[in-house]
Amino acid sequence: MWTVAQLAADLAAGRTTSRRLTEQALERIADPAGEGKRAFIKVYADSALAEAEFSDRLRKGGVRRSPVDGLPVSLKDLFDVAGDVTRAGSKILNARAHADAAAVARLRAAGAVFIGRTNMVEFAFGTTGINPHYGTPKNPWDRKTGRIPGGSSSGAAVAQADGMCVMALGSDTRGSIRIPSAFCGVTGFKPTTRRVPREGAFPLSYTLDSVGPLANSVACCAAYDAILAAEPVEPLPELPARGLRFLVPKTEVREGLDPEVASAFSSAIDRLGRAGASMTEKPVPAFDRQGEYFKGGGFAGAEAYAIHRKNADRLAEYDPRVAKRVLLGKDLSAADYVDFGRLRAEFQREIEAALAPFDAFLLPTNPCIAPPIAEVDATDEAYFRWNMRILRIVGLVNFLDGCAASLPCHARAHLPTEAPVGLMVCGPAMSDRRILAVAAAIERTLATN
């Protein structure tokens, strides 16, 4: 399993090269037995090898641009790359970008090797990972059944889980990094929205979109998060689990969990308690008012309609289910939109007050394990039912304008026979580095207990 720390050490010691790592990533993408052809919409084979060779030459000359210099990363298809078309998982966009998206530019300056553009739900508007235009990459956990990868950063999670990159850059509006991370058994981090600039990323919601990494560990996510936020790349403080204080909300979003999810979440909570963390389970009434927060799609519904209404005569070219969700926003009024802002301010005050005595609150990332693609895609009714079920927990963090890491917590997480389950470690706005340090402490505890 590739990690930033291991690969940086190998590169520094001359045990590998950036070109060799890039070749390995390209081989995994091209493997006919794998999911590369569906995980990626476009592969940058030639330019990636050139970037890798340049990194190797700099390293021989004593230059290292960052701790992730020379490591292959993938980019969700909604990020602009200078000279290339940003399709956002659709068939209707064909304009070439004149400049890198801000997040892409920061990664490029840090020496990232761009391996390609990953598949996604069209215009990032969905949680299942299904894309009728470019195909749906199968979840690495159970390809025989053919399970969904989760979305909207579907190809990102599959590419990360299959070792096609060291980090997959994604976006998260109502769970689009954390949902596929949990389903595919990798780690994902949704930062506070304002920490990472979104210029050059095709929007779903001007209010809720966040840009963040999917990787193989919390430390890997933290390294890339620092680069994306233009902060120093420093090791996270090593916090002991003993003495950490966690709020475990008693809320309707925890009702009806799949048995695998309920078991894994309960086991993680028990293990943290045995390690000396303080676990407080109590009601958080604000978490049970999602019907108000996300009426008609909420901010994302209203803003997606504003973004796409110029394409009203081309909606027949959209994924029909995405088009249907876009049109829902048409019925939202200006008064509804104002109400969302008022409700959000109240929600933020209530949750921040509830969190004051705690280091983080903990929830399952998804209420279910990844369902079969055939079941989700069978009918519109099934698709929308699964979509709503999958997003019911994660969106609370976006509405809070908080930050959250999702990390694997299923039993024997290293074995592919276990259904991946994600544990979500959440905090209020601008607590990002603290939440990452807390998540890393949880990760260590779950790995050893």
Side-chain angles (χ1 to χ4, degrees):
M1 183 177 76
W2 278 350
T3 66
V4 170
Q6 167 230 320
L7 294 179
D10 288 348
L11 286 168
R15 291 188 290 268
T16 191
T17 64
S18 177
R19 182 182 175 95
R20 195 171 304 146
L21 295 174
T22 302
E23 287 172 341
Q24 290 172 3
L26 291 170
E27 286 169 6
R28 290 167 186 164
I29 294 170
D31 182 356
E35 288 295 304
K37 64 187 177 215
R38 281 181 287 268
F40 282 83
I41 286 178
K42 184 173 185 178
V43 179
Y44 294 142
D46 292 341
S47 60
L49 290 170
E51 290 165 4
E53 289 172 355
F54 181 62
S55 176
D56 288 334
R57 288 199 300 274
L58 288 179
R59 188 173 293 104
K60 285 180 181 177
V63 176
R64 188 181 77 151
R65 289 166 287 183
S66 81
V68 303
D69 194 348
L71 304 184
V73 305
S74 66
L75 305 171
K76 188 174 180 178
D77 191 45
L78 55 70
F79 292 103
D80 284 351
V81 175
D84 201 3
V85 176
T86 303
R87 301 193 185 279
S90 180
K91 290 286 191 179
I92 73 166
L93 302 181
N94 55 23
R96 293 192 179 275
H98 297 296
D100 288 340
V104 173
R106 288 180 176 182
L107 289 170
R108 193 186 294 278
V113 173
F114 298 136
I115 207 79
R117 307 179 70 90
T118 53
N119 200 353
M120 57 182 283
V121 176
E122 185 177 30
F123 297 123
F125 213 171
T127 65
T128 64
I130 290 174
N131 185 309
H133 306 303
Y134 299 102
T136 301
K138 295 176 183 176
N139 191 310
W141 157 55
D142 183 6
R143 291 213 171 97
K144 183 176 180 181
T145 301
R147 294 179 183 267
I148 66 167
S152 64
S153 305
S154 53
V158 172
Q160 188 61 44
D162 271 354
M164 300 172 187
C165 52
V166 179
M167 185 277 288
L169 186 66
S171 66
D172 190 308
T173 304
R174 197 174 167 186
S176 286
I177 288 171
R178 292 160 290 153
I179 289 167
S181 293
F183 277 154
C184 293
V186 300
T187 302
F189 182 64
K190 175 242 176 292
T192 305
T193 292
R194 60 184 176 272
R195 282 186 66 249
V196 181
R198 296 169 294 168
E199 290 81 8
F202 193 94
L204 171 57
S205 167
Y206 302 117
T207 302
L208 302 178
D209 291 351
S210 304
V211 174
L214 297 83
N216 285 335
S217 71
V218 175
C220 294
C221 284
Y224 283 103
D225 168 76
I227 289 165
L228 293 167
E231 297 175 358
V233 184
E234 297 174 347
L236 294 169
E238 287 207 14
L239 304 176
R242 181 170 297 279
L244 290 177
R245 302 154 301 165
F246 295 115
L247 171 62
V248 184
K250 292 179 72 173
T251 164
E252 63 185 25
V253 302
R254 285 176 55 197
E255 296 174 0
L257 303 178
D258 277 5
E260 297 93 334
V261 175
S263 175
F265 182 69
S266 177
S267 174
I269 297 302
D270 289 345
R271 289 150 73 190
L272 289 169
R274 290 198 303 271
S278 170
M279 317 301 293
T280 301
E281 188 170 9
K282 68 177 185 178
V284 182
F287 282 174
D288 296 332
R289 299 197 288 267
Q290 289 204 65
E292 300 172 58
Y293 310 150
F294 299 112
K295 170 188 173 184
F299 281 119
E303 292 168 352
Y305 179 70
I307 291 162
H308 291 278
R309 60 182 172 175
K310 64 179 180 293
N311 295 328
D313 61 341
R314 301 192 67 182
L315 287 180
E317 300 172 62
Y318 283 41
D319 174 347
R321 290 157 179 169
V322 170
K324 190 174 290 188
R325 294 192 75 194
V326 167
L327 288 174
L328 283 176
K330 185 177 183 180
D331 296 327
L332 290 166
S333 68
D336 291 327
Y337 193 78
V338 171
D339 278 346
F340 293 145
R342 176 183 57 79
L343 287 166
R344 190 186 199 198
E346 292 174 358
F347 178 73
Q348 289 169 330
R349 287 193 296 270
E350 188 170 338
I351 299 305
E352 288 173 5
L355 278 176
F358 301 99
D359 291 291
F361 69 89
L362 306 179
L363 285 167
T365 306
N366 300 329
C368 55
I369 63 172
I373 293 171
E375 182 178 335
V376 175
D377 205 24
T379 64
D380 284 357
E381 189 277 331
Y383 178 92
F384 288 115
R385 175 168 45 81
W386 276 110
N387 188 74
M388 292 304 295
R389 186 179 184 207
I390 291 166
L391 58 69
R392 78 179 197 201
I393 301 176
V394 285
L396 289 164
V397 178
N398 300 83
F399 200 66
L400 178 65
D401 190 24
C403 55
S406 175
L407 55 148
C409 70
H410 46 290
R412 298 186 298 171
H414 61 289
L415 294 179
T417 53
E418 299 288 341
V421 175
L423 173 69
M424 193 162 61
V425 186
C426 319
M430 301 308 289
S431 64
D432 299 62
R433 299 306 286 186
R434 174 69 180 178
I435 287 296
L436 283 163
V438 169
I442 294 173
E443 184 181 62
R444 287 191 295 273
T445 302
L446 297 185
T448 57
N449 286 279

